[in-house]
Amino acid sequence: MPDRKTVTDSRGHGRYLFEATPEGSKVERAPFAQEDDQHAICSPRHRRLGHDADYSMGTHGIKLLRDVVGRTITALEAVIVARDDVAWGTVRIHAGDAPIDVTTALRDLIINDEGDTEEFGVLAVAEADPDALRVDGVDEEPSWCDIGADVAGVMLVNGHVTATEDGTAIMERAYTQAIVFALARGGCLVLDKGAWFSEMITIGMGDSWEDLVYDDSQDWEDDPEEPEVHYGWKRSMKRL
């Protein structure tokens, strides 16, 4: 059995990998107050990533997440690294008879016409893989944390980036930034992939998902050395 671990808040808001809380209320599908809301920002920080790509959550991952609604997340399992709220690559969700893995993996993206590539972290969901919690070169054993929370709804937080050069569109990219589980007792559990180059997953719990999801707008600002290129970023929320 993996070591059990309780993780405390390291950001000053919310709680991370929290102790189990008894559930007594009937589970109902919870509406998200900002469902399908969008925040358009003409960005903050660099990267000329050419070629279009859609790394939003796939249909199979969406189905697995929808199946969690109405169930109890009994525990999370992960290899915890760095801070106590950061998992390496995989967070296993135990809810019902078949656990699922939330993973983030680096994919090579073509960034120019010469075929140069750059790594981009992609969030996905699949059935639990026995080898997913084994990290090469890392001695840490998976940690187990009791949760005991009924899931009332699930939402994806998606990012969308565009780039124009002299007014002509040159790149469009879509991706899933975080998964938000609305809890029947109130509050939410968030699994977030962090910066675009990250292969870690941050685990958080709090009253507001906005306090727990990484602000990806800071990764897409215009480069003063390329004034003809302009980046745009927006966030959208999709209730499953």
Side-chain angles (χ1 to χ4, degrees):
M1 174 68 69
D3 293 337
R4 294 181 179 270
K5 178 179 288 189
T6 299
V7 180
T8 56
D9 183 357
S10 63
R11 295 185 186 178
H13 53 248
R15 291 180 294 162
Y16 296 86
L17 283 180
F18 45 98
E19 303 96 53
T21 299
E23 295 297 311
S25 59
K26 180 180 178 181
V27 178
E28 297 178 353
R29 186 176 290 270
F32 289 91
Q34 301 188 51
E35 177 186 350
D36 298 328
D37 187 17
Q38 294 187 346
H39 306 288
I41 298 179
C42 289
S43 293
R45 209 184 103 181
H46 76 27
R47 291 303 156 199
R48 182 172 181 176
L49 296 179
H51 298 259
D52 296 348
D54 186 350
Y55 289 116
S56 302
M57 185 67 61
T59 55
H60 185 61
I62 288 174
K63 178 185 181 302
L64 292 175
L65 290 172
R66 283 175 173 160
D67 288 344
V68 177
V69 177
R71 296 182 178 179
T72 299
I73 297 179
T74 56
L76 300 180
E77 192 177 0
V79 176
I80 301 299
V81 296
R83 303 193 314 262
D84 283 343
D85 58 340
V86 177
W88 191 304
T90 301
V91 175
R92 181 158 297 161
I93 298 173
H94 292 270
D97 297 331
I100 61 174
D101 287 345
V102 177
T103 64
T104 183
L106 296 177
R107 303 279 184 85
D108 287 333
L109 300 182
I110 298 174
I111 61 173
N112 56 34
D113 293 336
E114 287 70 44
D116 294 331
T117 62
E118 195 157 50
E119 293 180 325
F120 190 90
V122 176
L123 200 64
V125 177
E127 290 86 355
D129 179 346
D131 295 326
L133 293 175
R134 298 172 185 170
V135 182
D136 291 340
V138 176
D139 294 332
E140 287 286 331
E141 292 294 320
S143 295
W144 181 288
C145 181
D146 295 327
I147 301 299
D150 292 343
V151 177
V154 181
M155 181 179 73
L156 300 179
V157 180
N158 294 320
H160 185 263
V161 180
T162 58
T164 58
E165 185 171 7
D166 293 327
T168 301
I170 60 173
M171 183 271 285
E172 184 174 7
R173 180 144 306 129
Y175 55 94
T176 296
Q177 177 66 39
I179 302 167
V180 180
F181 298 91
L183 305 180
R185 67 185 182 213
C188 59
L189 171 69
V190 175
L191 302 180
D192 177 81
K193 80 180 187 71
W196 59 270
F197 52 82
S198 174
E199 55 183 327
M200 306 297 180
I201 298 176
T202 300
I203 307 165
M205 181 187 175
D207 294 328
S208 170
W209 65 265
E210 291 181 298
D211 292 335
L212 300 170
V213 174
Y214 177 77
D215 180 6
D216 204 31
S217 68
Q218 62 190 307
D219 292 333
W220 302 99
E221 70 177 3
D222 294 346
D223 186 346
E225 296 182 1
E226 292 184 308
E228 72 281 5
V229 179
H230 176 69
Y231 292 97
W233 173 89
K234 67 180 180 181
R235 169 181 286 172
S236 63
M237 285 64 75
K238 179 178 180 179
R239 178 182 168 181
L240 304 184

